[in-house]
Amino acid sequence: EFDMRDIIDWNYYRERLCAVFLKLICIPACYQNISNPCPRVAVPEWLRKRVAEQNDKFQQVSLGLWLRKTTGPQAKGGARG
């Protein structure tokens, strides 16, 4: 007797399905700070690191946010004399 379920590589299809869930559900959820909605699908380490870097309180901020380029003495209100 022939049963198709005996010859199908179920691990392959499970990995493929997990990859689709990861792309469509888990990765966007992690970037939105939502816990993993598919607990059977393991979140990869690279994603954990990237989300941790985004949410790091001690992340270095660019000084360009506070410093602005001026175009000479006129921009300072004529302080040059």
Side-chain angles (χ1 to χ4, degrees):
E1 193 169 313
F2 178 72
D3 190 9
M4 193 68 167
R5 290 178 281 190
D6 292 335
I7 62 170
I8 294 177
D9 185 8
W10 290 108
N11 288 331
Y12 169 78
Y13 288 106
R14 184 178 188 281
E15 287 176 16
R16 298 280 297 187
L17 188 62
C18 285
V20 171
F21 285 153
L22 185 69
K23 289 178 189 175
L24 294 178
I25 299 172
C26 298
I27 292 175
C30 286
Y31 280 128
Q32 296 174 16
N33 294 327
I34 299 172
S35 64
N36 188 1
C38 301
R40 291 184 185 180
V41 178
V43 177
E45 190 61 32
W46 64 266
L47 182 59
R48 286 187 191 147
K49 287 180 183 179
R50 188 167 294 177
V51 170
E53 286 174 5
Q54 279 185 341
N55 298 335
D56 189 12
K57 296 190 282 191
F58 302 108
Q59 187 174 14
Q60 185 174 355
V61 181
S62 172
L63 289 177
L65 296 174
W66 290 289
L67 303 175
R68 293 192 181 125
K69 185 176 181 179
T70 60
T71 58
Q74 316 77 306
K76 293 182 181 179
R80 195 177 212 220

